[in-house]
Every structure is written in C-alpha cells, then in structure tokens.
C-alpha cells in the first residue's frame, strides 16, 4: 500500500508547551515546512507534521504525563534531533541565530568530513545540523581522531 503522506522509515516527535509557536519558529529558524495540522473543535492541536528534505518530524503538545518539553524538565533533553543539510550550513546557522536559536556549538569541520553546528530552540530542544564538506576514508578518520571505527562503508 502506498503511503499518501510519503513518510520516511524513521521520524521523531518533539513536544512543546506551546506547539503552535514551535511550528512557526521551526519554519522561520530551520526552514521546516508544515505538512499536516490537525486540530480539535476547540482549536487544540491533535497532531502535526513538518517536512525537511526527505524527512519529517511530528510536533506535539504535552498531552500526557510521559511527554514533556525540555522547558518543563529544567532544560534536560533525552535526545537530540539531527538534520543533514545538502549545502549552505553556515547560512543555515545564521538564519537560526537570527530567529533566536541559541547556538551551543558554532559551525566546525569534523574529522569525518562534515561541518556541523548545534542549536537550542526556544523551549530547549537541542538540534544538530551537518553538511558533508569532504569525503574521508575510514582510515583517514581513524588517524585524525585516534578512534577505532567499525561499520564505515
């Protein structure tokens, strides 16, 4: 059966105290696009999805006792979201900064060939963004990092 929503194999859900503000902010700061918004008769969020490239995330509210925003948890995160960019990572970082993201790790070239940065959104979710800037072999990465790497294709 075809998936009418073109969902990728994996997705994650992030929870916010104010999910409507988060939807707007994620679009402005990171360039995500709303792809689904479901509200109930009172206008409360039932479900939402945002797309970026070939991936998507679900954005929700604190709707049950087992989901919470980092803003509710004193800034603690149990996961970080990672987005692989195709180009313009430095411009992406500046866009996020201009929208109010706290850049917790400035863009830097990594031993494995990616340029990465990390940002916190207004409720404290940590996001990492990377762009491959050079191809590196496993041997080169091991030599540069001092680490033993398995599973590198």
């Amino acid at each position: 059966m075809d998936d009418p929503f073109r969902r990728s194999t994996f997705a994650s859900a992030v929870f916010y105290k104010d999910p409507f503000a988060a939807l707007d902010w994620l679009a402005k700061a990171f360039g995500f696009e709303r792809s689904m918004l479901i509200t109930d008769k009172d206008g409360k969020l039932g479900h939402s999805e945002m797309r970026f490239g070939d991936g998507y995330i679900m954005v929700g509210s604190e709707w049950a006792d087992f989901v919470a925003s980092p803003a509710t948890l004193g800034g603690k995160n149990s996961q970080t979201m990672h987005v692989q960019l195709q180009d313009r990572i430095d411009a992406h970082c500046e866009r996020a900064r201009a929208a109010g993201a706290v850049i917790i790790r400035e863009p830097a070239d990594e031993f494995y060939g990616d340029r990465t940065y990390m940002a916190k959104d207004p409720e404290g979710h940590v996001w990492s963004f990377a762009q491959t800037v050079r191809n590196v072999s496993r041997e080169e990465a091991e030599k540069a990092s001092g680490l033993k790497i398995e599973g590198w294709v």
Side-chain angles (χ1 to χ4, degrees):
M1 179 167 138
D2 287 336
D3 180 355
F5 304 109
R6 300 177 314 281
R7 291 187 174 118
S8 54
T9 302
F10 287 100
S12 188
V14 287
F15 303 102
Y16 290 88
K17 293 170 81 81
D18 187 346
F20 291 108
L23 289 165
D24 292 339
W25 191 87
L26 292 167
K28 179 180 178 181
F30 297 153
F32 296 176
E33 296 178 1
R34 286 188 198 194
S35 56
M36 183 182 295
L37 182 67
I38 300 171
T39 55
D40 67 14
K41 63 180 170 43
D42 298 319
K44 290 184 180 177
L45 183 67
H47 179 78
S48 71
E49 296 179 7
M50 298 189 89
R51 299 195 68 75
F52 188 89
D54 61 356
Y56 78 103
I57 60 167
M58 294 172 275
V59 175
S61 64
E62 296 180 317
W63 59 274
D65 65 355
F66 58 86
V67 296
S69 165
T72 299
L73 302 172
K76 300 289 185 192
N77 280 250
S78 65
Q79 69 173 1
T80 60
M81 300 292 292
H82 178 77
V83 180
Q84 192 70 23
L85 303 174
Q86 297 301 310
D87 57 19
R88 301 181 39 82
I89 189 160
D90 291 288
H92 192 273
C93 180
E94 289 311 311
R95 173 184 179 158
R97 188 188 321 270
V102 175
I103 306 304
I104 58 176
R105 192 161 168 257
E106 293 290 335
D109 292 347
E110 303 295 339
F111 69 89
Y112 47 86
D114 281 4
R115 184 165 179 78
T116 66
Y117 82 92
M118 294 180 80
K120 276 190 179 183
D121 70 24
E123 289 199 22
H125 292 280
V126 175
W127 299 81
S128 68
F129 295 88
Q131 172 191 337
T132 301
V133 293
R134 61 187 174 87
N135 291 325
V136 176
S137 70
R138 180 182 53 78
E139 293 80 14
E140 289 172 307
E142 286 180 335
K143 184 176 179 184
S145 68
L147 302 170
K148 180 177 174 16
I149 301 171
E150 295 182 31
W152 190 292
V153 181

